[in-house]
Amino acid sequence: MRFLFKKKKKESAGLFIDRGIYRYIALKGQPGEYEVLRAVAGKLSASVGPEGEPYIEPGKSLNAALKEIIREIGEFRTAVNLSLPTSDSLMRTVPLPVTDTEEARMSFRYDYERYFPFSVQEAVFDLAPIMYPLPDGSEEKRYLVASARKAFVDGIMDSASLNDLEINALEPAQIALERAITPVLNVLDAAVYVYAGRRRSVLILSWKGNGIYHRSISESFEEGLLSSEDGSDDTLAKNMFVREINSSLQFALSQIRGFEPECMVVFGPGCTDNLIQLLKDTVQIESVIHSDPFDVHGIEFSSLDKSSGSWEIPLGLALRDI
C-alpha cells in the first residue's frame, strides 16, 4: 500500500472522513494554477459506527459511512486519496545504511520492531528519503517511515471495494497536512507547523520543505471551540493546548539538535488571533503566524465553502498527485 510516493496526473481528489463529517475536494492544474473542480462538505449520521466513529471498525462503520457519502456525492470521477487518522498512522524518522529506496525498504523490515509497537508481519509501511539536520550545521540522508496495522488498512480497502470506490492511495493525515501548508517554493529551512485540528492536532517540524518530526496532539477543536477531556472552559483548554505544543516542541528540539526554528506557522479550524498570541507569549520562536493552505497554493475557494471548515487534510490529499 502506497503511503508516501506519488505519480503526477491531471486530476486528483482527496477524501477526509471523520466523526460526523466528511470533506471531498477534486483539483486539476499545476502549482500556481490549481482549479477546484468539485468540493463537497457533508455530514454523517451517528449510526455509521459506535459513537459515530467511522474508523473504530473500518470493515463495518467505514462501509456505512461510504454508503452515505456516495449516496450524496454520486459516482467519483477519479480514484481518491483517502486519509488515515493520525491515531492509527505512525511516523518515524530512521537512519539506514543504504541509499537506494527499494533497498532501504527491504532493509528496514529487519529493524521495524525497534521503531513501531507491533510486528512487521502485522503492519504495512512505506518510506521516503529526507535530509536531516545535524548539530554541526551539516545534514545527512535519512528515511521518513509511515506505518499502520495491516488489519486496519485491509478493513478500509474492503469497505472501499464493497462500495466500488477506487483508492489511489492511503496516506497518513500528518503527511497530507504537511503538504497542504508547505509552499511549493519553500523559503524556510527550519519551519514548525501547528495544525489546530477539529478532533486531533498535529505538530510538524519541517526541514527544507520535508517533515522530519510529526507528533499527534491530544488537545483539539470541536465545532470551533477547543475541547478538553475534563470539560474545562475554553480559556483553560487553550492554555493546555499551548502548553502541550510547547512541551512537545521542546522535546523534539532536544532530540534534533541541528534544528533551529525560524518560524511557527499555525493553521486549522482552531486557529484564532487569541491562540496565536498565546503561542507568541509561550514558545521561544521569534515569528508565530497564521496561514491558510488555500492561499499558500494560490487556490480560489469561496469563503462560503471555507466556512464549513476542516478542508486542510483533503486539500493536502488532492495536492498529492498534481
Side-chain angles (χ1 to χ4, degrees):
M1 180 55 57
R2 295 185 303 131
F3 282 126
L4 301 174
F5 300 124
K6 56 184 179 180
K7 181 174 66 176
K8 300 294 183 181
K9 60 181 183 179
K10 293 182 179 180
E11 182 178 329
S12 182
L15 177 61
F16 168 60
I17 304 173
D18 200 4
R19 184 177 67 190
I21 69 165
Y22 70 88
R23 301 287 184 264
Y24 172 81
I25 188 167
L27 303 175
K28 71 173 184 178
Q30 58 187 352
E33 300 178 0
Y34 293 123
E35 178 186 349
V36 177
L37 297 176
R38 191 179 186 191
V40 181
K43 294 183 177 181
L44 295 172
S45 68
S47 63
V48 300
E51 300 180 1
E53 293 283 0
Y55 287 105
I56 287 183
E57 296 176 314
K60 297 180 180 178
S61 53
L62 186 60
N63 180 36
L66 287 174
K67 288 184 183 303
E68 291 189 10
I69 293 169
I70 292 170
R71 190 180 306 126
E72 181 169 346
I73 291 181
E75 183 179 352
F76 290 90
R77 290 177 50 184
T78 186
V80 303
N81 298 323
L82 180 65
S83 64
L84 290 171
T86 59
S87 56
D88 295 284
S89 51
L90 302 177
M91 312 290 299
R92 300 287 188 270
T93 300
V94 302
L96 291 171
V98 293
T99 57
D100 180 78
T101 301
E102 285 304 318
E103 289 182 13
R105 187 177 288 107
M106 295 300 297
S107 173
F108 183 68
R109 294 185 63 84
Y110 299 100
D111 286 337
Y112 181 90
E113 289 166 40
R114 291 176 53 195
Y115 296 95
F116 293 96
F118 37 86
S119 72
V120 68
Q121 289 78 20
E122 298 175 277
V124 291
F125 73 89
D126 202 357
L127 50 75
I130 59 170
M131 297 308 294
Y132 190 88
L134 299 176
D136 63 2
S138 64
E139 57 186 8
E140 69 177 16
K141 184 177 182 178
R142 295 193 181 184
Y143 288 87
L144 180 66
V145 184
S147 187
R149 290 186 182 273
K150 185 176 185 299
F152 183 78
V153 171
D154 286 346
I156 293 174
M157 299 305 293
D158 288 345
S159 291
S161 178
L162 286 171
N163 289 278
D164 295 322
L165 175 64
E166 184 180 356
I167 301 294
N168 179 61
L170 289 178
E171 182 170 80
Q174 302 95 305
I175 297 294
L177 288 167
E178 178 189 336
R179 187 182 300 110
I181 198 60
T182 304
V184 175
L185 298 176
N186 191 54
V187 297
L188 297 173
D189 280 351
V192 176
Y193 297 122
V194 175
Y195 172 65
R198 175 177 177 261
R199 300 194 52 222
R200 293 192 74 83
S201 301
V202 178
L203 172 70
I204 301 169
L205 271 58
S206 175
W207 176 252
K208 295 184 177 179
N210 289 299
I212 60 173
Y213 178 88
H214 304 75
R215 179 174 176 80
S216 181
I217 303 297
S218 59
E219 296 294 339
S220 59
F221 296 77
E222 185 79 47
E223 302 301 330
L225 294 175
L226 196 63
S227 62
S228 62
E229 295 289 336
D230 59 6
S232 56
D233 65 29
D234 188 51
T235 302
L236 176 58
K238 283 181 178 177
N239 280 289
M240 290 172 63
F241 176 83
V242 170
R243 284 199 298 270
E244 186 167 356
I245 289 292
N246 190 47
S247 62
S248 297
L249 176 61
Q250 293 308 311
F251 173 78
L253 295 179
S254 72
Q255 303 299 304
I256 312 173
R257 297 191 178 275
F259 188 92
E260 298 181 0
E262 300 170 66
C263 180
M264 173 178 282
V265 180
V266 189
F267 66 112
C271 183
T272 63
D273 291 342
N274 184 27
L275 183 63
I276 293 289
Q277 189 59 52
L278 286 170
L279 286 165
K280 285 181 177 179
D281 294 340
T282 304
V283 300
Q284 296 180 349
I285 299 177
E286 183 175 348
S287 177
V288 180
I289 63 172
H290 165 260
S291 186
D292 182 330
F294 285 96
D295 294 340
V296 167
H297 296 281
I299 300 173
E300 293 187 7
F301 199 55
S302 73
S303 57
L304 180 61
D305 288 329
K306 279 186 184 178
S307 65
S308 56
S310 297
W311 287 104
E312 297 80 8
I313 292 174
L315 175 62
L317 291 167
L319 288 168
R320 172 189 169 99
D321 298 313
I322 57 177

